[in-house]
Amino acid sequence: MKYDDANIFAKILRGEIPCKKIYEDKFVLSFYDINPQKKIHALVIPKGKYIDLDDFTLNASSEEITGLIKGINIVAKKLGISTDVGKGYRALTNISEDGGQEVPHLHFHLFGGEKIGKMVQ
Ligand code: 5GP
């Protein structure tokens, strides 16, 4: 499958569609989900064009992989849901149609701000 430049997160990365930005650096952009499923529902996406975690794992550089993983921690800290303040959260990524992925640009959901509950509904 080829990366679709018209997907909504690609448009957000290009600044064509607004977002409620939480954090940005060389490797990641983070913003609030438009349809929050928990008290805090943030998204963290790599700046590179990767469809999903499988694509990212196979094709991203070590620098990009480190940047995304560290980005998740930075965002959790910014949101006050990280373990260093005694909190916690769920980081989740859906992969392809069977995994429930709707937007074909890799993204991690960060759910927090309350007890998140069972892993799968
Ligand atoms: P997926 O099902 O692909 O894992 O999750 C896609 C997520 O993107 C959904 O939680 C959905 O609410 C969110 N989303 C879809 N369109 C937009 C948008 O235009 N802006 C923002 N901030 N989130 C979006």
Side-chain angles (χ1 to χ4, degrees), residues 8-9 12 17 31-35 41 43 94 100-103 107 109:
I8 204 94
F9 294 167
I12 287 175
I17 287 180
F31 48 92
Y32 288 101
D33 195 290
I34 205 167
N35 181 24
H41 185 173
L43 298 169
N94 296 320
Q101 183 177 7
E102 287 174 4
V103 179
H107 50 283
H109 298 259

Side-chain angles (χ1 to χ4, degrees), residues 40-51:
I40 294 175
H41 185 173
L43 298 169
V44 183
I45 72 174
K47 288 200 166 166
K49 297 178 179 184
Y50 299 102
I51 299 168

